[in-house]
Amino acid sequence: NLLGERVSIRDMHTVLETLADMGPVTKDPDLLTEYVRQSMARTITRQYQTTDGTLPLIALSQEMEDQLANAIQSTAQGTYLGLDPETAQAIIQSIEGQVEQFSMRSLQPILLCSPLIRPHVKKLTDRFIPNLVVVSHNEVSTDVRIESLGMVS
């Protein structure tokens, strides 16, 4: 999962330590991936910082976050995002509109959202905006300056 999202696993010590700590709590590979991503916050943040040390990103509005969180469905096979096609398309178009700012400035497009919905947002946007990096609040290192380029609503 980490490699699929272009997250380096060179820090294997942190990866294995997090898996050892969280393995008794859950066996869900997606949830374990989220725990590892949170442990690797500094590595993930450093990967996308600009030369002046800022992290340019766009964020989801609170209303959008709530809408997506309420659309998460749990089944015996795991969780999925239960959105109707029109709503999903509208969300993707809103994100695409904000992502244009990154290409104008030759930056990596980054979307910030809550940890609960991060994997679902990544799966939703992957087919349409494959170069979009989706990070959660817990994956942004506390010592980095954030530059907000917009809000997806």
Side-chain angles (χ1 to χ4, degrees):
N1 287 346
L2 294 170
L3 293 174
E5 291 192 47
R6 297 184 303 268
V7 174
S8 173
I9 58 169
R10 284 183 184 236
D11 186 4
M12 190 57 73
H13 182 267
T14 300
V15 173
L16 294 175
E17 185 177 297
T18 305
L19 291 175
D21 289 345
M22 301 313 293
V25 176
T26 182
K27 301 294 182 217
D28 179 1
D30 292 330
L31 194 53
L32 288 170
T33 300
E34 293 306 307
Y35 287 128
V36 172
R37 288 179 63 95
Q38 291 173 21
S39 296
M40 298 179 71
R42 184 163 293 173
T43 302
I44 292 171
T45 301
R46 194 173 331 126
Q47 185 176 352
Y48 301 113
Q49 278 180 297
T50 61
T51 53
D52 66 352
T54 61
L55 185 66
L57 50 77
I58 55 174
L60 291 180
S61 69
Q62 189 60 51
E63 296 81 24
M64 180 77 70
E65 293 242 358
D66 293 342
Q67 181 181 13
L68 291 169
N70 291 333
I72 295 174
Q73 305 291 318
S74 295
T75 66
Q77 289 79 30
T79 59
Y80 66 93
L81 199 56
L83 290 174
D84 62 271
E86 294 83 22
T87 303
Q89 186 63 34
I91 291 170
I92 290 166
Q93 288 174 343
S94 294
I95 294 171
E96 283 177 332
Q98 293 291 329
V99 166
E100 290 175 11
Q101 297 179 57
F102 289 92
S103 57
M104 289 187 299
R105 295 175 62 182
S106 299
L107 297 171
Q108 170 68 49
I110 303 170
L111 175 67
L112 180 69
C113 61
S114 71
L116 173 68
I117 64 171
R118 194 210 72 78
H120 302 289
V121 171
K122 181 60 180 167
K123 287 176 187 170
L124 175 67
T125 59
D126 225 11
R127 281 181 245 143
F128 305 99
I129 316 169
N131 64 330
L132 179 67
V133 173
V134 181
V135 297
S136 76
H137 301 284
N138 295 347
E139 296 168 23
V140 176
S141 183
T142 56
D143 60 345
V144 71
R145 276 192 356 253
I146 293 175
E147 179 185 358
S148 177
L149 299 182
M151 181 79 64
V152 178
S153 54

